[in-house]
Amino acid sequence: MPAVVLIGAQWGDEGKGKITDYLAEKADMVVRYQGGNNAGHTVVVGENEFKLHLIPSGILYPGTTCIIGNGVVIDPKVFVEELNYLHDKGVNTDGLRVSNRAHIIMPYHILQDKLDEEYKGVNKIGTTHRGIGPAYMDKAGRTGIRVVDLLDEEEFGVRLKRNLLEKNRLFNKVYEVEGLEFEKIFEEYKGYAKIIGKYAIDTSVIIHEYLAEKKNVLFEGAQGTLLDIDHGTYPYVTSSHPVAGAVCIGAGVGPLEINDVIGIVKAYTTRVGEGPFPTELIGEEGNRIRECGNEFGTTTGRPRRCGWLDAVILKYAVRINGLNHIAVTKLDVLDKLEKIKMCVGYKYKGAMLNDFPASLKVLAQCTPIYEEFDGWMTETSGVEKYEELPLQARIYLERLSEIIKVEPAIVAVGAKRSQTIIRENIYSDS
Ligand code: IMP
């Protein structure tokens, strides 16, 4: 089963980094295909902790080719910083390739993101302020700058000048702040171009080569299904497509190339930023999960909102992504809870809703219907086999599988590579 897509099934932060890292061991190639440095992965290798935002975590395995695909938006400053961070930790990055069609995040995108959020006030999205939205806006508006343009000094200069004219008018006249200087950005980005240039190619070509040779290719999604600009809780979403279908566009492969789609499901639910969250726990219970699960953003450090597992969301994620496996993460975070709840349906104006609603007004008024489970009250972090999980933990997982009709192939009970229970091998050993 060579081509596997791994996506977040909730609002992001499901622990994709850990599962990617696990699967990357047997992958010949790991590909990122959307988002940018709004993502954040923490990977623990032995005693070392790695925090990555842009470069696929597969880079930690020597010999694995890592791709930043055309669908990703790249902040070159972050890219260079991340390279240096990896080099300082002794990681070899020779296997890294960057799509020459990927769009570049510019300083004006970051400024625009911040100003726009400030301007919106209470209606803000709660973005990561990394310039992601404005970069995708310019891509769709056909004024974006791609890696290939950055590498062509003359072309870059022309485009930067043209874009700054428009952006500075926006900054001066609408937001009433000072604009940005051409020379400073031009010089800075020329430096980045020298480094990115070493990695830039048409990545779709090499992905195809690997797929044609039946090598194991892992497509690593960022964010989560409910942050998808089409399928998520719009407008409280990111500006890209974290769903599985985005692989085709963001990496340049056809849909028939994909063999497996794994949804990463945290054993409870979290979200950062604004927007309705039906199973949110406000107060002591939420705080307990947040502390126990260390639910603070890798990218922004913001405390994440925490709540019970929501099977309505997961049923939706199964449908939208065509999930044929799930990987449940952070089960150990629930170890000390006497009672655990799972939302199995929504009630809206006295009636049951069959599907996850499009309207946020409706979602905000949905009352979760819960099933309550006895907690297992035993440490699971040392468990190595599924059958050895406490009975109550298995009851909890099996009830979820019954509702969403997808079984967990992997269950994670801690941050370390060793704390991963495998029920089904996704990649063969060959
Ligand atoms: P943006 O992607 O920075 O534009 O932020 C848009 C929304 O997506 C905000 O609610 C962010 O908190 C959320 N978001 C973006 N990236 C992540 C992520 O990696 N994990 C969780 N939420 C994210």
Side-chain angles (χ1 to χ4, degrees):
M1 295 182 193
V4 173
V5 181
L6 191 144
I7 58 98
Q10 293 149 315
W11 272 291
D13 307 317
E14 295 91 352
K16 289 182 291 296
K18 182 192 153 102
I19 305 298
T20 307
D21 173 64
Y22 182 80
L23 292 175
E25 188 181 5
K26 284 188 186 147
D28 300 294
M29 175 182 269
V30 181
V31 184
R32 265 201 71 182
Y33 55 92
Q34 47 74 224
N37 60 306
N38 48 348
H41 287 343
T42 306
V43 179
V44 181
V45 185
E47 296 308 308
N48 277 325
E49 191 179 80
F50 291 86
K51 284 186 191 290
L52 295 170
H53 298 279
L54 190 57
I55 296 177
S57 31
I59 200 74
L60 303 177
Y61 285 101
T64 306
T65 304
C66 285
I67 305 280
I68 299 181
N70 58 278
V72 175
V73 285
I74 301 174
D75 183 330
K77 181 166 187 259
V78 173
F79 177 78
V80 170
E81 280 169 4
E82 217 158 87
L83 272 182
N84 291 339
Y85 165 82
L86 288 168
H87 294 162
D88 287 349
K89 290 196 165 222
V91 178
N92 184 322
T93 57
D94 289 350
L96 181 64
R97 297 290 176 270
V98 176
S99 169
N100 51 12
R101 286 185 171 85
H103 280 245
I104 294 289
I105 297 178
M106 302 297 296
Y108 49 77
H109 291 137
I110 299 167
L111 181 59
Q112 194 177 342
D113 196 355
K114 285 182 187 149
L115 292 171
D116 193 42
E117 283 282 273
E118 267 169 43
Y119 187 80
K120 284 198 176 100
V122 289
N123 297 318
K124 71 177 196 283
I125 305 294
T127 74
T128 57
H129 289 186
R130 300 297 188 264
I132 306 293
Y136 279 114
M137 278 158 68
D138 283 359
K139 175 176 175 175
R142 288 150 296 178
T143 55
I145 297 179
R146 299 173 303 161
V147 168
V148 70
D149 309 317
L150 174 72
L151 300 183
D152 178 337
E153 202 175 299
E154 194 189 330
E155 184 69 25
F156 179 61
V158 171
R159 284 171 189 256
L160 178 61
K161 216 167 251 165
R162 202 191 296 154
N163 287 356
L164 271 182
L165 211 64
E166 194 183 315
K167 296 291 179 187
N168 282 344
R169 281 189 66 170
L170 175 76
F171 296 144
N172 299 156
K173 308 244 183 228
V174 176
Y175 294 115
E176 296 176 331
V177 297
E178 250 181 64
L180 302 176
E181 270 174 53
F182 172 85
E183 273 314 321
K184 199 165 161 256
I185 301 175
F186 188 63
E187 284 309 313
E188 185 184 338
Y189 274 61
K190 255 171 38 185
Y192 299 143
K194 281 202 187 98
I195 299 167
I196 293 188
K198 292 184 202 154
Y199 299 91
I201 57 164
D202 183 344
T203 48
S204 162
V205 173
I206 163 172
I207 297 172
H208 273 261
E209 281 168 12
Y210 273 58
L211 290 173
E213 288 166 21
K214 302 268 175 265
K215 288 186 172 165
N216 291 335
V217 179
L218 177 65
F219 295 93
E220 172 189 359
Q223 290 87 42
T225 302
L226 291 187
L227 290 174
D228 185 275
I229 192 156
D230 270 69
H231 301 287
T233 43
Y234 191 89
Y236 299 105
V237 292
T238 190
S239 301
S240 69
H241 292 286
V243 297
V247 166
C248 297
I249 294 165
V253 299
L256 297 181
E257 304 275 14
I258 310 300
N259 304 97
D260 277 290
V261 187
I262 310 173
I264 312 301
V265 173
K266 185 145 57 181
Y268 46 96
T269 313
T270 60
R271 93 170 284 188
V272 281
E274 313 301 314
F277 177 176
T279 63
E280 182 167 15
L281 290 166
I282 296 164
E284 204 32 55
E285 272 176 312
N287 291 343
R288 215 168 142 197
I289 293 181
R290 184 175 309 108
E291 293 302 325
C292 230
N294 190 23
E295 294 296 350
F296 298 89
T298 314
T299 302
T300 59
R302 287 184 289 180
R304 296 177 185 141
R305 298 157 67 191
C306 297
W308 297 122
L309 188 66
D310 188 334
V312 179
I313 288 175
L314 297 174
K315 249 165 64 180
Y316 180 64
V318 169
R319 167 158 59 86
I320 296 297
N321 296 289
L323 302 182
N324 63 340
H325 297 288
I326 57 167
V328 178
T329 58
K330 293 191 144 182
L331 187 70
D332 56 301
V333 172
L334 305 181
D335 283 355
K336 290 187 186 142
L337 299 182
E338 275 171 28
K339 295 282 175 196
I340 297 169
K341 288 183 186 173
M342 183 190 299
C343 167
V344 296
Y346 291 161
K347 217 170 208 176
Y348 174 68
K349 294 196 169 161
M352 283 287 285
L353 277 192
N354 286 329
D355 297 306
F356 190 73
S359 158
L360 290 202
K361 253 195 212 162
V362 173
L363 184 64
Q365 288 172 45
C366 282
T367 314
I369 300 164
Y370 286 117
E371 283 182 11
E372 194 176 72
F373 299 78
D374 287 331
W376 39 97
M377 305 295 285
T378 323
E379 228 181 86
T380 55
S381 53
V383 175
E384 291 175 3
K385 288 198 185 114
Y386 183 80
E387 297 67 34
E388 288 165 9
L389 280 172
L391 176 65
Q392 289 307 325
R394 279 182 283 136
I395 289 176
Y396 180 67
L397 294 175
E398 277 151 31
R399 178 65 182 132
L400 175 66
S401 303
E402 189 176 57
I403 298 170
I404 67 170
K405 302 194 169 44
V406 182
E407 302 250 329
I410 299 171
V411 180
V413 287
K416 294 192 179 138
R417 276 180 179 170
S418 57
Q419 292 170 315
T420 315
I421 301 169
I422 304 300
R423 290 182 79 199
E424 199 168 330
N425 271 323
I426 304 294
Y427 285 125
S428 59
D429 285 314
S430 59

